[in-house]
Amino acid sequence: MPSYTVTVSTGSQWFAGTDDYIYITLVGTERCSERTLLDKPLYNDFERGAVDSYDVRVGEDLGDIVLVKIEKKKYWVHDDWYCRYITVKTPSGEYLEFPCFRWLVDEKEVVLRDGRAHLPQDDKTSLVKQHRQKELDMRRKTYRWKEWQPGFPMSIDANRHKDLPRDIQFDSEKGVDFVLNYSKAYVIENLFVNHFMHMFQSSWNDFADFEKIFVRIKNTISEYVMQHWREDFMFGYQFLNGCNPVIIKKCTKLPEKFPVTHEMVSVSLERDMTLQEEIEAGNIYIADYEVLDGISPNSTDPCTLQYLAAPICLLYKTARNKILPIAIQLGQTPGKDNPIFLPTDGQYDWLLAKIWVRSADFHHHQTITHLLRTHLITEVFAIAMYRQLPAVHPVYKLLTPHIRFTIAINTKAREQLICECGIFDKANATGGGGHVQLVQKAVKNLTFRSLCFPDAIKARGVDSKEDLPTYFYRDDGYLVWGATKSFVSDVVHIYYTSDEAVQADEEIQAFIKDVCSFGMQDFDHCEFPKSVKSREELAEYLTVIVFTASAQHAAVNFGQYDWCSWIPNAPSTMRKPPPHKKGLADVNLIIESLPDRGRSSWHLGAVWALSQYQENELYLGMYPDEHFIEKPVKEAMEKFRKQLAEVTSSIKRRNDGKRLPYYNMSPDKIPNSVAV
């Protein structure tokens, strides 16, 4: 009798093993095997991390093995099982690989195709076509769109993490890491909160008083920020390489709403040129927080009034290439009660104006740059992928490592962070609904081209290395974008032999359309494509997804403790309104404006938790789950890893000896996906 050797790999994560009964059926082009129980006597099958082999005997040769069906049946109580892969050795000695990387829960079955990627137009037999369609039909019932808030990108239809499909929930370790980080943060917060409970809503005594919560957890950059945060060079530097390096724009013309004159700023200009001449020479930049105008401040605590501002800041590039602030207006409408603050004003007037800009930047960063433009947009791509691309599709195999745990972390955020009474409400001036308004406004400027890194840099007029030689976010981003696009393009060209092949792929076209028509709700302003017509267009589209989920998220997430832990440098709320005239500010007004002791502690705990890498983090280029089995793709992955290693080395060389090293775009510090 012919015999097939079946090898089964169980996942190594916690609780991956099972004591349930596992059955297998081999489906060939000629016939199917009998449903066979995989069980060895006196042996504990399917333990965590185990690789077990079994013989499946058949009466006649099955022909080419096309599908493998796995079933799990209850032994005592339902015991979930994570299957990594199955290999089948045929009677002729041929080895076939069937990647799984899925949980089997309850008494459900999984039907696997071999690991070679196939486009839909390449499938010729009704058997594999039906399998492909059945998988998508089931996925569309499982992964449903839902509008969490009006005007938001669509999200998953699940209110709680435990309601998600098992395959996209956190692994136990990842979930524990997540809980531990927030628990540690909670302990940090409560150590301070309990210590200061009798004065929870009271102000700090002075700037040095903030060190009572700061010094307990510190690193080089955050300490440097603490020491230099008042200085103009530190204020300006953060527009380039802080955790929100996406708002600075070249100023080609002063907006009418910001009537800065040459006389106001002449003392700050170094080149013996007028302000207009400096603008024409390309030395003037602007940061405009107009999106914050009209956003409702947090009113969830009747005991503490909180305030927001929508400032505009003019920045000057000095002869030594430093970016320095030269004028700040704290509102969008010019007038007598909305003065333009200058470095020549009293030191506390100028310092308070800068603090207001830093607070606005914090809100822009948290809600728009971080939440909307990495977390929420990646979730849209992830849901559309699950709904429109079967596991055998090469683009599914390419993208799945880069959307790992994204839907889970976003669902947790909707449960705990941005929900009513969540952390945003406790610590942020945009809590209590302001953050929702802010996303709704920002979505109107979220175009597809704005997610393409080179386009976004060029649109802000900051693409010249000669003009801004210390814009490391841009320089490193170009390198990572280039390496990522090269890899993605290699994969696209392996499977699509022509532009016509892209056009003929109904699944990829459905994926692109689902993102635009459902995920982005066909918003008139979003300008997301509804189809792709060439390999180049597809490669760019997929590069946007991979880059946004990995490098862009890393750049704006993991520096949060560095730049935001010193509370006066990134206040999460302000407790006094923006000053309407000069000469009023002093140390007491600034301290009374900054977050109180309780909110400072909440803020510190949150930015610490958000900045933590996970214990078993998978970084860009690491693909331990072999969804692809073809040699050309593995060679492309190896080439990608070498390019990333070169980028990492060049960044390390540049950072050596720097007081403020920039490493947030270094590939060895870029996780594969948005998972924190």
Side-chain angles (χ1 to χ4, degrees):
M1 292 175 67
S3 177
Y4 293 79
T5 301
V6 173
T7 302
V8 182
S9 173
T10 296
S12 58
Q13 60 267 58
W14 291 355
F15 312 116
T18 187
D19 289 326
D20 282 356
Y21 297 113
I22 304 297
Y23 295 87
I24 195 166
T25 305
L26 306 179
V27 181
T29 51
E30 299 296 326
R31 57 190 59 82
C32 299
S33 72
E34 295 288 332
R35 178 174 178 262
T36 304
L37 175 65
L38 300 181
D39 183 45
K40 289 188 276 193
L42 304 175
Y43 179 75
N44 201 348
D45 305 279
F46 312 114
E47 287 293 284
R48 173 187 170 200
V51 178
D52 302 315
S53 294
Y54 306 86
D55 289 332
V56 176
R57 299 188 182 278
V58 297
E60 296 180 74
D61 188 79
L62 305 178
D64 294 335
I65 303 298
V66 181
L67 303 171
V68 168
K69 181 163 80 170
I70 318 166
E71 299 170 78
K72 185 176 73 67
K73 297 295 181 183
K74 182 170 70 173
Y75 169 66
W76 182 247
V77 293
H78 285 302
D79 189 10
D80 295 351
W81 175 50
Y82 187 85
C83 177
R84 296 190 72 244
Y85 62 82
I86 290 174
T87 61
V88 177
K89 181 184 177 186
T90 68
S92 64
E94 181 185 9
Y95 282 88
L96 303 172
E97 296 180 50
F98 293 82
C100 183
F101 304 109
R102 270 182 254 179
W103 286 93
L104 277 76
V105 299
D106 300 332
E107 297 200 347
K108 300 218 174 117
E109 65 180 43
V110 170
V111 181
L112 306 174
R113 279 186 67 173
D114 76 272
R116 293 169 297 173
H118 296 276
L119 299 177
Q121 59 263 42
D122 296 336
D123 282 346
K124 303 304 180 187
T125 69
S126 60
L127 184 65
V128 293
K129 286 181 179 179
Q130 288 169 7
H131 171 261
R132 196 172 192 123
Q133 190 58 49
K134 188 176 178 182
E135 181 182 1
L136 288 178
D137 289 344
M138 186 174 66
R139 291 250 210 91
R140 286 168 191 152
K141 291 176 185 174
T142 305
Y143 297 87
R144 300 174 305 277
W145 294 110
K146 180 181 178 181
E147 185 179 62
W148 186 66
Q149 294 285 350
F152 271 48
M154 295 285 266
S155 54
I156 196 75
D157 184 7
N159 293 324
R160 298 165 299 177
H161 177 264
K162 67 179 183 180
D163 299 332
L164 293 171
R166 184 68 182 89
D167 284 328
I168 60 169
Q169 290 181 24
F170 282 130
D171 283 345
S172 297
E173 293 107 313
K174 186 77 178 184
V176 166
D177 280 346
F178 179 85
V179 170
L180 279 178
N181 277 335
Y182 274 87
S183 297
K184 289 174 188 172
Y186 183 75
V187 169
I188 291 163
E189 292 153 5
N190 281 277
L191 279 174
F192 307 136
V193 170
N194 290 335
H195 182 67
F196 302 125
M197 186 57 74
H198 63 289
M199 44 185 176
F200 185 92
Q201 291 175 318
S202 65
S203 299
W204 300 93
N205 295 321
D206 51 36
F207 294 129
D209 216 14
F210 283 97
E211 292 184 50
K212 289 180 178 175
I213 59 170
F214 175 79
V215 293
R216 293 171 185 259
I217 40 178
K218 57 185 180 177
N219 65 19
T220 306
I221 291 180
S222 58
E223 285 189 285
Y224 194 84
V225 171
M226 178 187 73
Q227 293 160 4
H228 298 278
W229 69 280
R230 301 189 204 205
E231 299 169 34
D232 286 355
F233 96 88
M234 175 60 81
F235 178 88
Y237 178 84
Q238 292 176 76
F239 286 104
L240 300 178
N241 302 310
C243 57
N244 193 32
V246 299
I247 200 161
I248 184 173
K249 293 181 181 178
K250 181 165 280 188
C251 181
T252 55
K253 182 185 178 185
L254 275 175
E256 290 182 9
K257 64 183 181 180
F258 192 26
V260 180
T261 66
H262 174 71
E263 289 70 30
M264 288 180 184
V265 298
S266 59
V267 70
S268 299
L269 307 180
E270 298 180 351
R271 295 181 178 86
D272 197 24
M273 297 163 69
T274 67
L275 176 59
Q276 182 58 36
E277 288 168 341
E278 292 278 18
I279 290 172
E280 291 168 2
N283 297 322
I284 303 296
Y285 295 83
I286 194 166
D288 188 351
Y289 298 89
E290 183 179 13
V291 70
L292 281 158
D293 194 32
I295 300 298
S296 304
N298 193 338
S299 59
T300 58
D301 180 359
C303 299
T304 303
L305 292 176
Q306 299 180 62
Y307 298 90
L308 291 167
I312 313 171
C313 180
L314 204 64
L315 300 156
Y316 177 60
K317 186 187 77 169
T318 70
R320 298 180 63 188
N321 293 313
K322 288 184 178 179
I323 296 293
L324 301 178
I326 58 173
I328 293 170
Q329 181 177 287
L330 297 181
Q332 292 288 310
T333 305
K336 191 169 68 171
D337 60 350
N338 188 18
I340 295 174
F341 291 93
L342 306 166
T344 51
D345 293 338
Q347 63 167 316
Y348 294 118
D349 280 340
W350 182 235
L351 181 60
L352 183 56
K354 288 191 294 179
I355 289 172
W356 270 104
V357 174
R358 292 296 309 140
S359 184
D361 194 74
F362 175 84
H363 297 306
H364 185 284
H365 165 261
Q366 289 291 355
T367 307
I368 300 173
T369 307
H370 184 210
L371 174 63
L372 171 61
R373 298 181 70 92
T374 63
H375 278 259
L376 299 185
I377 196 64
T378 303
E379 182 175 3
V380 167
F381 292 128
I383 297 169
M385 182 200 79
Y386 282 118
R387 288 172 52 81
Q388 305 299 344
L389 300 178
V392 73
H393 199 289
V395 172
Y396 177 94
K397 293 172 180 280
L398 173 68
L399 293 183
T400 194
H402 300 289
I403 54 89
R404 179 174 176 258
F405 300 138
T406 298
I407 298 174
I409 193 70
N410 287 1
T411 304
K412 280 281 190 186
R414 286 186 286 269
E415 254 185 289
Q416 301 172 0
L417 192 66
I418 58 175
C419 56
E420 193 173 345
C421 301
I423 292 176
F424 262 59
D425 284 8
K426 288 182 170 68
N428 290 4
T430 52
H435 60 299
V436 173
Q437 297 171 12
L438 201 47
V439 169
Q440 289 166 336
K441 284 183 76 173
V443 163
K444 294 174 182 173
N445 293 315
L446 200 171
T447 63
F448 179 76
R449 298 311 318 171
S450 73
L451 297 173
C452 300
F453 186 81
D455 293 49
I457 293 289
K458 192 166 187 178
R460 292 188 287 114
V462 290
D463 49 316
S464 169
K465 189 164 184 175
E466 186 179 348
D467 285 353
L468 290 173
T470 59
Y471 196 8
F472 305 131
Y473 162 77
R474 173 204 59 206
D475 299 341
D476 300 352
Y478 276 151
L479 295 175
V480 178
W481 173 273
T484 303
K485 189 172 183 184
S486 175
F487 167 59
V488 170
S489 185
D490 286 347
V491 174
V492 166
H493 280 75
I494 288 168
Y495 293 102
Y496 294 92
T497 55
S498 65
D499 292 343
E500 289 72 25
V502 174
Q503 296 167 25
D505 184 346
E506 295 177 352
E507 290 170 351
I508 204 69
Q509 299 298 340
F511 165 65
I512 303 290
K513 187 174 182 182
D514 210 20
V515 168
C516 179
S517 298
F518 287 91
M520 297 305 295
Q521 302 192 62
D522 251 341
F523 291 138
D524 293 336
H525 44 75
C526 77
E527 299 171 9
F528 274 59
K530 291 187 178 179
S531 64
V532 284
K533 296 181 172 59
S534 68
R535 291 182 290 180
E536 173 60 28
E537 285 182 10
L538 178 59
E540 182 182 60
Y541 192 97
L542 300 178
T543 302
V544 165
I545 299 173
V546 175
F547 185 87
T548 301
S550 56
Q552 183 62 20
H553 177 256
V556 303
N557 181 72
F558 292 102
Q560 289 188 76
Y561 186 74
D562 288 345
W563 297 102
C564 302
S565 58
W566 180 246
I567 308 293
N569 188 60
S572 60
T573 190
M574 297 290 277
R575 296 178 298 134
K576 295 288 182 185
H580 294 298
K581 63 167 79 171
K582 299 183 182 185
L584 298 179
D586 57 18
V587 171
N588 289 335
L589 177 63
I590 294 176
I591 293 296
E592 288 170 8
S593 297
L594 288 169
D596 55 37
R597 296 168 189 263
R599 287 178 179 82
S600 297
S601 300
W602 275 111
H603 167 96
L604 183 65
V607 298
W608 185 84
L610 289 168
S611 300
Q612 300 309 299
Y613 292 97
Q614 305 303 322
E615 194 171 325
N616 298 313
E617 198 73 77
L618 296 178
Y619 294 97
L620 192 58
M622 294 171 63
Y623 300 110
D625 291 353
E626 294 193 10
H627 292 274
F628 285 109
I629 66 168
E630 294 95 324
K631 187 177 178 183
V633 185
K634 292 187 176 182
E635 289 172 347
M637 287 176 175
E638 188 55 36
K639 174 185 161 190
F640 184 35
R641 281 189 282 269
K642 285 181 179 175
Q643 287 179 305
L644 293 174
E646 289 169 6
V647 173
T648 298
S649 296
S650 70
I651 291 171
K652 189 175 185 301
R653 285 194 298 273
R654 183 206 57 218
N655 282 338
D656 280 349
K658 285 197 182 305
R659 290 175 300 177
L660 282 173
Y662 184 76
Y663 48 77
N664 291 336
M665 276 275 201
S666 183
D668 62 334
K669 295 186 181 298
I670 297 175
N672 258 335
S673 63
V674 178
V676 67

